[in-house]
Structures are given as structure tokens and as C-alpha cells.
Amino acid sequence: MSVQRQTEAKIRDLGERSKDIKTVLIIDDDPILRVVAESYFKSRGSERIESAANGAEALKIIDARGAGIDFILCDLNMPELDGVQFLRLLKERDYRGPIAILSGEHEAVVVLAENLATKHELNLVGALRKPLNFEQLDQLVRKSEDHLQEYDKTSLSDFKECDLKAALSGGQIRVFYQPKIETATGRIAGAEALVRWDHPERGIVRPQHFVPLAESSSLIEELTNQVIQTAIEDAARWRKLKINFKVAINLSVDVLYNLNLPDEIAARVDASELDRSQFIFEITESRLLEQDTVPMEVLARLRMMGFDLSIDDFGTGYSNLEHLKEFPFTELKIDQSFVAHATTDHRAKASVEASVSLGKKLGLRLVAEGVETAADWGFIAKMGVDQAQGYLIAKPMPMDALLEWYFEYRAKCVNGRPHFI
């Protein structure tokens, strides 16, 4: 039987054909692997499949096609121009489509390459180990389709302060929600509020393209105020529907220098007649400075007022133990970069295990971000992580879509067991 027919036979069990991955670029110096990967994408419905034996050949294809490539599958160890160099040159060309790494290199090298891709602000959807596994590749392709539907082809340099000012004054700021599920009971524990910019020409713009601009200007407080107000209003709508779960709101460290922030938030929540304990404020760990007294005072007062505090992206900063000692957190969110690799990378697994052990000893609620597969769910549930959040459960969605998802999930959840595992 030919490679194409063997591949088609294996793929028939994976589900429907790809709708969004039309043009693919496969980069690997192994011709057999290229043929196998090409067969996979043909069977999944891709219309044009390019292949290259190294990064230099791939760049010629990219330069010729411009932005017309929907998905790149890239090896690391290749002659002439390797995958690590290729990632840097992709950044220079401002490529913004989904990228997956496929490599047989030591896991530490693969993790470093993933970190480099993230630093380059590339749209990395994951990494696969050789030999090629169709089921794992299919998961990344499906993830890429979600990213293509959400992913806007914009960059921070495309926007100026005056653009964001117009968005804030013109009602273009939206709040999407991503649900969180209790691993022990399957109950919906709450949702994280995630800001989006509904641009009149570019569509939905994700926060990494405009929040840094807000933080570097005087607009971050107004942006935060709009998100908080929207979340409070939406929580009031939930209460009318007898839905009472927690909503998590991200606070930039920059707004923690407003000493009046705790009183302002408390006044808004109290005016809505909601319980303060219904709100969790997430602070990204990597930007905290424990020696600065103003954020410490603001966080202490928020906690005393009855709000929960969460340390976000735990493990990505440089002094996380100090942060847990200095700040009154009630929740620890394990960063998705560790969760996504915990079932395949012993270093990531050890990081998750250490975070869980520390969080439990400190009496913190544990939340795993980036749960995207049943294997991820099984691992964090076995570890005793309290809640899970990620694409396996649901991607971020507007308020009305969240309500539809909520009732559909409850209908499908049998005896506390989520329908997706």
C-alpha cells in the first residue's frame, strides 16, 4: 500500500477535514518524513503543500509567496540553515501564521527553541517529537485552525496611542471569557475575563497587540476600568440567571500604583450588590517587584476587602518564592508553557509537580492554564490541581456565547464527568 493510502487510512479515524489550513510549508531534511507529512495534509484537505530540506529553501518559498502560508511544520537540526536560525528569520519577515516544531533533538533543546519562538512573538502552536505521530499532529492542526479564526494579522507597531484612545472612547473594547472547570467535580468554577479590541477594519485584535501600548502610555488605567466595569455588569447578568461563579480579571502592575484602586473597585462591586469574593484579580508574576511598597499596599488592601488574588504565569519570573512570601495571594496559576509539555517533557513535569507541592503547602487554590488535551487534563487532575483552563474546555468567547456554552456544558456533563474526557 502507498504512503498516501496508508496515511489516508490512519486519518479517516481523526475526524473531519481541515477547513482553514489551505497552504502548508513542511521543512525537514528527511525526504521520507516530508512525504509522510505531505500525505497527511493532503488527506486533511490542504490545497497547496510546499516542502523544503532546510531553512534557506523554506525562506525562498516564503519570500515568493508572502503571507500566503497557513501553517509551517519545521525541523530544528537541518543543514545550511537550521530551525533555530529559521525562527529568527521568520520574525524578521513578520510571519504571523501558526508554526509547529518537529524534532528529534534533546527535549531541553526543543524547549529552548519554543521559548525562542515565544520571545520572537511567533505564533507557535506546539512541538512534536520524532517520529511523526498523526494524532498529535492532528491536535496541533486543529489548534492552529482555532488560532487562525482568532488570530489577527496585526502587530504592536501597527497601532499608535491615538488609535487606542479612539477605541477606548468609541466603545471598541470587548471582554471575552474563558471558562475554568473543577477537576474533582467537573463543576464550572468560573471564567477569566480577557480583553479584546473590536477594530472596525482589522476585526478582533488580541491583547498582546495593544496592552503593551496601553502600559507604555497613560491609557492602561482607562482600559482596566472598562474591563472591570464590563465584568461587573456581566456578573450581575449571571446572577439574574442564577449563575454564581467567580470571574478573574487581569491587573497590570502599572495600575497597582494607584493607591485609590482598592476603594474604587470595592465601590463598583458594592454598587452592583455582588459579593466581593466573586472576583479574582490576577497579577502577572514576572512584572512584580516585591521591594516596591505601593503595589504591596494596594494588593494587601484588595485582599482585606474580600477580593481574591491570583499570581498568574507562575514559574516564569525570577523570584517567585519571594512573591508568594511577600504578597497575600489566594490562588496560583501554573503557566501554560509547563502544562503543555508536562506529559512529554520531564523538566516541565517536574516544574508542575514543584508548583503543585508548593501551592498545596501554602494553602493556595491551584489552576492549570493551557489544558489542551485529554492527557493534559489527566495529568493535572492526578496531580491534584483544583481547576483547569484551556482549549480542551473552551476557547475565549463573548458573553452571550459563554451563556450558551454554560447551559450546553451542564447538559452534557454526566455525574460530574466532563463530556470532553
Side-chain angles (χ1 to χ4, degrees), residues 138-169:
D138 201 66
Q139 289 174 350
L140 289 189
V141 167
R142 292 177 184 277
K143 180 180 176 181
S144 297
E145 291 173 335
D146 287 334
H147 280 228
L148 283 170
Q149 291 168 8
E150 271 195 25
Y151 191 71
D152 51 277
K153 293 180 169 59
T154 53
S155 67
L156 179 59
S157 61
D158 291 331
F159 299 118
K160 307 233 174 346
E161 186 176 338
C162 59
D163 299 322
L164 187 53
K165 278 185 178 178
L168 289 164
S169 62

Coordinates of all heavy atoms in Angstrom, one line a residue, residues 138-169:
D138 N -2.4 16.1 14.4 CA -3.8 16.5 14.2 C -4.3 17.4 15.3 O -5.0 18.4 15.0 CB -4.7 15.3 14.1 CG -6.0 15.5 13.4 OD1 -6.0 15.8 12.2 OD2 -7.1 15.5 14.1
Q139 N -3.9 17.2 16.5 CA -4.2 18.1 17.6 C -3.7 19.5 17.4 O -4.4 20.5 17.6 CB -3.7 17.5 18.9 CG -4.5 16.3 19.4 CD -3.9 15.7 20.6 OE1 -2.8 16.1 21.1 NE2 -4.6 14.7 21.2
L140 N -2.4 19.6 16.9 CA -1.8 20.9 16.6 C -2.5 21.6 15.4 O -2.7 22.8 15.4 CB -0.3 20.7 16.3 CG 0.5 20.4 17.5 CD1 2.0 20.5 17.2 CD2 0.2 21.3 18.7
V141 N -2.9 20.8 14.4 CA -3.6 21.4 13.3 C -4.9 22.0 13.7 O -5.3 23.1 13.3 CB -3.8 20.3 12.1 CG1 -4.8 20.8 11.1 CG2 -2.4 20.0 11.5
R142 N -5.7 21.2 14.5 CA -6.9 21.7 15.0 C -6.8 23.0 15.9 O -7.5 23.9 15.8 CB -7.7 20.6 15.8 CG -8.1 19.5 14.9 CD -8.8 18.4 15.7 NE -9.2 17.3 14.9 CZ -10.3 17.2 14.2 NH1 -11.1 18.2 14.2 NH2 -10.5 16.1 13.5
K143 N -5.7 23.0 16.7 CA -5.4 24.1 17.5 C -5.1 25.3 16.6 O -5.5 26.5 16.8 CB -4.2 23.8 18.4 CG -3.8 25.0 19.3 CD -2.6 24.5 20.1 CE -2.1 25.7 21.0 NZ -0.9 25.2 21.8
S144 N -4.3 25.0 15.5 CA -4.0 26.1 14.5 C -5.2 26.7 13.9 O -5.3 27.9 13.6 CB -3.0 25.6 13.5 OG -1.8 25.1 14.0
E145 N -6.2 25.8 13.6 CA -7.4 26.3 13.0 C -8.1 27.3 13.9 O -8.7 28.4 13.5 CB -8.3 25.2 12.6 CG -7.8 24.4 11.5 CD -8.6 23.1 11.2 OE1 -9.3 22.6 12.1 OE2 -8.6 22.6 10.1
D146 N -8.1 27.0 15.2 CA -8.7 27.9 16.2 C -7.9 29.2 16.2 O -8.5 30.3 16.3 CB -8.7 27.3 17.6 CG -9.7 26.2 17.7 OD1 -10.7 26.2 17.0 OD2 -9.5 25.3 18.6
H147 N -6.6 29.1 16.1 CA -5.8 30.3 16.2 C -6.0 31.1 14.9 O -6.0 32.4 15.0 CB -4.3 29.9 16.2 CG -3.9 29.6 17.6 ND1 -2.7 30.1 18.2 CD2 -4.4 28.8 18.6 CE1 -2.6 29.6 19.4 NE2 -3.6 28.8 19.7
L148 N -6.2 30.5 13.8 CA -6.4 31.2 12.5 C -7.8 32.0 12.6 O -7.9 33.1 12.1 CB -6.4 30.3 11.3 CG -5.0 29.8 10.8 CD1 -5.2 28.7 9.8 CD2 -4.3 31.0 10.2
Q149 N -8.7 31.4 13.2 CA -10.0 32.0 13.4 C -10.0 33.2 14.3 O -10.6 34.2 14.1 CB -11.1 31.0 13.9 CG -11.4 29.9 12.9 CD -12.2 28.8 13.5 OE1 -12.7 28.9 14.6 NE2 -12.4 27.7 12.7
E150 N -9.1 33.1 15.3 CA -9.0 34.2 16.3 C -7.9 35.2 15.9 O -7.9 36.3 16.2 CB -8.6 33.6 17.7 CG -9.8 33.3 18.5 CD -9.4 33.1 20.0 OE1 -8.4 33.6 20.4 OE2 -10.1 32.4 20.7
Y151 N -6.8 34.6 15.3 CA -5.6 35.3 15.2 C -5.7 36.4 14.2 O -6.0 36.2 13.0 CB -4.5 34.4 14.7 CG -3.1 34.9 14.8 CD1 -2.5 35.1 16.0 CD2 -2.4 35.2 13.6 CE1 -1.2 35.6 16.1 CE2 -1.1 35.7 13.7 CZ -0.5 35.9 14.9 OH 0.8 36.4 15.0
D152 N -5.4 37.7 14.6 CA -5.5 38.8 13.7 C -4.1 39.1 13.2 O -3.1 39.0 13.9 CB -6.0 40.0 14.5 CG -5.2 40.2 15.8 OD1 -5.5 39.6 16.8 OD2 -4.2 41.0 15.8
K153 N -4.0 39.5 11.9 CA -2.7 39.7 11.3 C -2.3 41.2 11.5 O -2.2 42.0 10.6 CB -2.8 39.4 9.8 CG -3.1 38.0 9.5 CD -3.2 37.7 8.0 CE -3.1 36.2 7.7 NZ -4.2 35.5 8.3
T154 N -2.1 41.5 12.8 CA -1.7 42.8 13.2 C -0.5 42.7 14.1 O -0.2 41.6 14.7 CB -2.8 43.5 14.0 OG1 -3.2 42.7 15.1 CG2 -3.9 43.9 13.1
S155 N 0.2 43.7 14.3 CA 1.4 43.7 15.3 C 1.3 45.0 16.1 O 0.6 46.0 15.7 CB 2.7 43.6 14.5 OG 2.9 44.8 13.8
L156 N 2.0 45.1 17.1 CA 2.0 46.2 18.0 C 2.4 47.5 17.2 O 1.8 48.6 17.4 CB 3.0 46.0 19.2 CG 3.1 47.2 20.2 CD1 1.8 47.4 20.8 CD2 4.2 46.8 21.2
S157 N 3.3 47.4 16.3 CA 3.8 48.5 15.5 C 2.7 49.1 14.6 O 2.8 50.2 14.1 CB 5.0 48.2 14.7 OG 4.7 47.2 13.8
D158 N 1.6 48.3 14.4 CA 0.5 48.8 13.5 C -0.3 49.9 14.2 O -1.1 50.6 13.5 CB -0.4 47.6 13.1 CG 0.3 46.7 12.2 OD1 1.2 47.1 11.4 OD2 0.0 45.5 12.2
F159 N -0.3 50.0 15.5 CA -1.2 50.8 16.3 C -0.4 52.0 17.0 O 0.7 51.8 17.4 CB -1.9 50.1 17.3 CG -2.8 49.0 16.7 CD1 -2.6 47.7 17.1 CD2 -3.8 49.3 15.9 CE1 -3.4 46.7 16.5 CE2 -4.6 48.3 15.3 CZ -4.4 47.0 15.6
K160 N -1.1 53.1 17.1 CA -0.5 54.2 17.8 C -1.4 54.6 19.0 O -2.6 54.1 19.1 CB -0.4 55.4 16.8 CG 0.4 55.1 15.5 CD 1.5 56.1 15.3 CE 2.4 55.8 14.1 NZ 2.3 54.5 13.5
E161 N -0.9 55.4 19.9 CA -1.6 55.8 21.0 C -3.0 56.4 20.7 O -4.0 56.2 21.3 CB -0.8 56.8 21.9 CG -1.5 57.1 23.2 CD -0.6 58.0 24.1 OE1 0.6 58.0 23.9 OE2 -1.2 58.7 25.0
C162 N -3.0 57.2 19.6 CA -4.3 57.9 19.2 C -5.3 56.8 18.8 O -6.5 57.0 18.9 CB -4.0 58.9 18.1 SG -3.3 58.2 16.6
D163 N -4.8 55.7 18.2 CA -5.8 54.6 17.7 C -6.4 54.0 19.0 O -7.6 53.8 18.9 CB -5.0 53.6 17.0 CG -4.4 54.1 15.7 OD1 -5.0 54.9 15.0 OD2 -3.3 53.7 15.4
L164 N -5.6 53.7 20.0 CA -6.2 53.1 21.2 C -7.1 54.1 21.9 O -8.1 53.7 22.5 CB -5.0 52.6 22.1 CG -5.5 51.8 23.3 CD1 -6.3 50.6 22.9 CD2 -4.2 51.2 24.0
K165 N -6.7 55.4 22.0 CA -7.6 56.4 22.6 C -9.0 56.4 21.9 O -10.0 56.4 22.6 CB -7.0 57.8 22.5 CG -5.9 58.1 23.5 CD -5.5 59.5 23.4 CE -4.5 59.9 24.4 NZ -4.0 61.3 24.3
A166 N -9.0 56.3 20.6 CA -10.2 56.3 19.8 C -11.0 55.0 20.1 O -12.3 55.1 20.2 CB -9.9 56.4 18.3
A167 N -10.3 53.9 20.3 CA -11.0 52.6 20.6 C -11.7 52.7 22.0 O -12.8 52.3 22.2 CB -10.0 51.5 20.6
L168 N -11.0 53.3 23.0 CA -11.5 53.5 24.3 C -12.7 54.4 24.4 O -13.7 54.1 25.1 CB -10.4 53.9 25.3 CG -9.3 52.9 25.6 CD1 -8.1 53.6 26.2 CD2 -9.8 51.8 26.5
S169 N -12.6 55.5 23.6 CA -13.7 56.4 23.6 C -14.9 56.0 22.7 O -16.0 56.5 22.8 CB -13.2 57.8 23.3 OG -12.7 57.8 21.9

